[in-house]
Amino acid sequence: MRGRALLLVGALLLAAVAGATPAAAANAGQTSGDCSFPVTMTDATGTEVTLEERPERVVTTNPSAAQTMWEIGGKEQVVGVTQYASYLDGADSRANVSAGFGVSVEAVVGADPDLVIAPNASAGDVQALRDAGLTVYHLSQATDIEDIRRKTTTVGRLTGNCAGAAEANAWMTANVRSIENLTADVEDEPRVLYPLGGGYVAADRTFIDAIIGVAGADNVAAGNYSGYPQLNDEVVLQLDPEVLIVTERSSGIVTQAPYASTTAGERNATVRLRTRNLNQPAPRSVVNAVHNATRQLHPDRYSEDSYVPRSAVQRTETTTVTETAITTEPTATPTGGSGPGFTAGVAVIALCLSVLAARRRSGRR
């Protein structure tokens, strides 16, 4: 099957940090009750994408989309992934479609996909892929956890994995609620900051800020900034975080200016999380991040019993799911470790965000 996008009239409505797009609103109306084909859905560019049949060959241009496909039971449909999805079981047997910080159009075409799923970070690749004659669905930017739920539902509907998407969302939601119950009455929330490198940080209206909030912490960059702004040293010192969130690739930043002169730097106070859990808006990442962040920020409150395993969410005969009681299981993926995530390192993050910031001013992101 080689489904092709049906391009109708629509203004270019790229996902913005300021709020949800009409595409997100349209996708929110898609329920898991009907997973039949053909299906037509409007993506983040305002393009109506029609799939006549269930896509059997899917390429993901960003690891968050690949992770989502794995979580909803669609990994066997995936024939192409980027290099930063290599941590997924079996990803090494798929075509690597990476090219620098983006994707290789030739490699994607060579994978012969019925559908290309392009998350927000791949915005610059969408038109080139469409010009090559491919059916591309561009996902909008996730600014909170609800956006991740909607994106998971959308990917499930596009690929015929509605029940799996509903189950993955139920699992993620159950874990978020479990952690929220632990942190709801925290009075003195630790003041944290997540430096991305190059002065960039995660601020308000980002899914990263939402994760920080669930974990019972106050993101000091969220008060006056949104998205992923670049802050100068003076502003960082004024914000004076008590704790820095670092990854396996940026742990040394606590000893570097200006962070070394903050309260967090003076106390060497850090929370270490995996890059792929913080930088990939997908169900598994959210579950791992909220548990691992809370375990470190509030060790006196955190309990391993707070983890809700996949077995505790049951699929019904329809495509909806029911949450059951929380049971005791080993916690989510442990903190730390190595392996590719959303970026190749802090320098890559800074460069990517710099490019995104420039393109945002001309209409992207």
Side-chain angles (χ1 to χ4, degrees):
M1 186 275 288
R2 294 285 300 176
R4 288 291 175 260
L6 179 62
L7 304 180
L8 301 179
V9 177
L12 184 63
L13 297 172
L14 291 180
V17 174
T21 64
N27 292 340
Q30 294 284 345
T31 67
S32 59
D34 178 16
C35 213
S36 62
F37 290 85
V39 61
T40 297
M41 300 183 74
T42 303
D43 78 352
T45 67
T47 300
E48 287 192 348
V49 177
T50 296
L51 293 166
E52 298 293 340
E53 301 175 277
R54 183 176 188 266
E56 298 302 325
R57 300 181 63 82
V58 177
V59 167
T60 57
T61 65
N62 200 267
S64 63
Q67 183 195 130
T68 300
M69 286 294 289
W70 257 248
E71 290 302 312
I72 67 177
K75 74 174 186 178
E76 297 305 323
Q77 294 164 268
V78 179
V79 295
V81 298
T82 57
Q83 59 186 318
Y84 301 118
S86 62
Y87 68 92
L88 296 168
D89 180 40
D92 55 354
S93 66
R94 275 66 172 179
N96 182 352
V97 299
S98 294
F101 300 140
V103 299
S104 164
V105 174
E106 293 77 12
V108 176
V109 171
D112 192 29
D114 304 320
L115 173 67
V116 178
I117 301 175
N120 181 69
S122 299
D125 301 311
V126 171
Q127 193 55 53
L129 293 169
R130 285 178 171 159
D131 289 344
L134 300 176
T135 299
V136 182
Y137 191 95
H138 180 39
L139 294 165
S140 58
Q141 181 178 9
T143 61
D144 54 29
I145 293 174
E146 183 57 36
D147 284 345
I148 297 174
R149 292 189 187 100
R150 283 193 289 263
K151 290 172 66 174
T152 302
T153 299
T154 296
V155 173
R157 183 67 187 92
L158 288 168
T159 61
N161 294 295
C162 299
E167 182 180 304
N169 275 337
W171 174 60
M172 177 178 69
T173 299
N175 278 280
V176 168
R177 289 176 180 171
S178 178
I179 294 300
E180 286 176 333
N181 288 337
L182 290 180
T183 61
D185 60 347
V186 173
E187 294 183 357
D188 297 319
E189 293 184 334
R191 302 174 69 253
V192 308
L193 183 68
Y194 177 34
L196 293 159
Y200 291 93
V201 300
D204 191 24
R205 294 201 57 76
T206 65
F207 70 93
I208 295 172
D209 177 63
I211 287 172
I212 292 171
V214 170
D218 175 25
N219 181 5
V220 296
N224 298 312
Y225 305 95
S226 63
Y228 301 93
Q230 186 179 33
L231 307 181
N232 61 39
D233 290 1
E234 182 180 353
V235 171
V236 171
L237 293 173
Q238 290 174 347
L239 292 175
D240 191 28
E242 299 170 323
V243 179
L244 291 181
I245 297 177
V246 299
T247 70
E248 69 276 11
R249 299 179 182 278
S250 64
S251 58
I253 201 170
V254 70
T255 63
Q256 302 170 9
Y259 307 105
S261 298
T262 66
T263 299
E266 292 171 353
R267 297 176 179 175
N268 193 29
T270 62
V271 165
R272 181 170 174 171
L273 302 175
R274 282 184 171 176
T275 303
R276 69 193 188 209
N277 289 337
L278 269 181
N279 293 9
Q280 294 182 22
R284 188 197 307 185
S285 289
V286 172
V287 172
N288 289 346
V290 297
H291 277 278
N292 291 332
T294 305
R295 183 190 296 108
Q296 296 173 71
L297 288 165
H298 303 288
D300 56 329
R301 289 172 173 263
Y302 185 80
S303 167
E304 301 298 335
D305 293 348
S306 65
Y307 174 67
V308 185
R310 288 293 287 263
S311 60
V313 288
Q314 297 177 343
R315 187 179 303 178
T316 65
E317 292 182 359
T318 63
T319 52
T320 59
V321 295
T322 302
E323 293 176 16
T324 61
I326 297 173
T327 60
T328 304
E329 282 277 320
T331 189
T333 304
T335 319
S338 59
F342 179 73
T343 63
V346 173
V348 175
I349 294 172
L351 179 57
C352 289
L353 288 173
S354 178
V355 172
L356 289 173
R359 291 188 175 181
R360 186 186 299 120
R361 289 192 290 270
S362 63
R364 182 186 176 190
R365 199 180 174 94

